[in-house]
Amino acid sequence: MRMVIAALLLAAPAVAQAAPDVATMAAAKALFEQLGGPAQIRQNAERNLAELRTGASLERSLSRQRGFTMARAQRPQDYDAAFARIGKLQADAAEPIIREGVPAVINAAILAYATHYSAAELRGLAEFYRSPLGQAFQRSQGKVTRDAATALNERIIVKVTAALKLLEPQMTAELKRLQPGKAK
C-alpha cells in the first residue's frame, strides 16, 4: 500500500494541469479495472491490516534493533502475546483510516493514468493488455519485478548493509560526541 501511495505521489504532476476530460477518465478507469488495480489495492490494504493485527509488522520493525532477537528467544511466549495485543491496537486504529482511504487511492490512481495518458493511449493500452502478448507481459511482470528486486538486494543492499555494520563502532563514537558532557 505504501508503495502504491508513494508511486501516486511521485506520479502527481508538478504543476497544476487541467482536469482530464470525461472520456479520458472513463478510459483510465476501464484500464485500471482491467489491470486489476482496485482489487490489488484492496488486497494490499487487507494484507497490511492482517500484518498489523498479528503483530508481524511490529516484530519486523523491532527485529532490526540490536539485542531484539536474543531477548525474544528468551521469552517467545511473552513476545508473541505482546505482539498480538499491540498488533490488535494498531490494526483497530488503522482499519478505519485504511478503509476510508482505499477508494481515494483508487481514484488517485485512475486520475494518475488520466493525467499521463490520453484517452486514445489508454484505449490502446487496454487493447494491448487484452492481446496475447499483453497478457503474457502482465503475467510475467511480477516475476520480472521480483527478479530485479532480488538482484538489487543481493548485489547492493546486502553488501551496503554489511559495509555499514563494519562502521558501527565509528558511528557510535561519533554519536556519543553529540551527547552532553562528552569530549569533542
Side-chain angles (χ1 to χ4, degrees):
M1 177 74 120
R2 283 180 234 121
M3 290 178 57
V4 170
I5 293 170
L8 291 173
L9 291 174
L10 290 174
V15 294
Q17 295 180 353
D21 60 47
V22 173
T24 303
M25 286 298 291
K29 182 177 183 199
L31 175 64
F32 194 58
E33 287 174 353
Q34 177 184 337
L35 296 176
Q40 185 177 15
I41 289 171
R42 288 184 189 99
Q43 288 168 356
N44 287 341
E46 292 303 322
R47 186 173 32 256
N48 288 338
L49 277 171
E51 282 188 14
L52 277 175
R53 193 163 302 286
T54 64
S57 293
L58 175 63
E59 183 172 6
R60 190 172 38 257
S61 175
L62 291 175
S63 70
R64 296 182 205 117
Q65 302 295 320
R66 173 178 271 160
F68 170 78
T69 304
M70 263 198 322
R72 191 188 192 311
Q74 292 173 356
R75 298 175 37 212
Q77 296 85 359
D78 293 342
Y79 277 81
D80 289 345
F83 288 152
R85 288 189 306 272
I86 295 167
K88 181 182 180 328
L89 290 171
Q90 289 178 319
D92 288 349
E95 186 170 14
I97 297 165
I98 290 172
R99 297 230 184 273
E100 183 180 317
V102 164
V105 171
I106 291 169
N107 289 336
I110 292 167
L111 180 61
Y113 274 99
T115 300
H116 294 284
Y117 297 100
S118 70
E121 290 170 328
L122 290 162
R123 287 189 295 271
L125 285 167
E127 187 176 319
F128 167 73
Y129 282 114
R130 281 191 296 272
S131 74
L133 177 59
Q135 290 175 7
F137 176 81
Q138 195 172 7
R139 278 192 308 271
S140 65
Q141 195 55 34
K143 295 172 194 159
V144 169
T145 301
R146 275 191 303 278
D147 289 352
T150 298
L152 171 68
N153 188 52
E154 290 172 351
R155 291 179 177 88
I156 296 175
I157 294 173
V158 169
K159 292 176 182 178
V160 167
T161 301
L164 294 178
K165 184 120 179 106
L166 293 173
L167 296 175
E168 277 185 11
Q170 292 167 284
M171 293 187 303
T172 300
E174 287 295 327
L175 291 172
K176 282 184 181 179
R177 291 180 184 174
L178 298 174
Q179 296 175 0
K182 298 292 179 182
K184 302 239 183 219

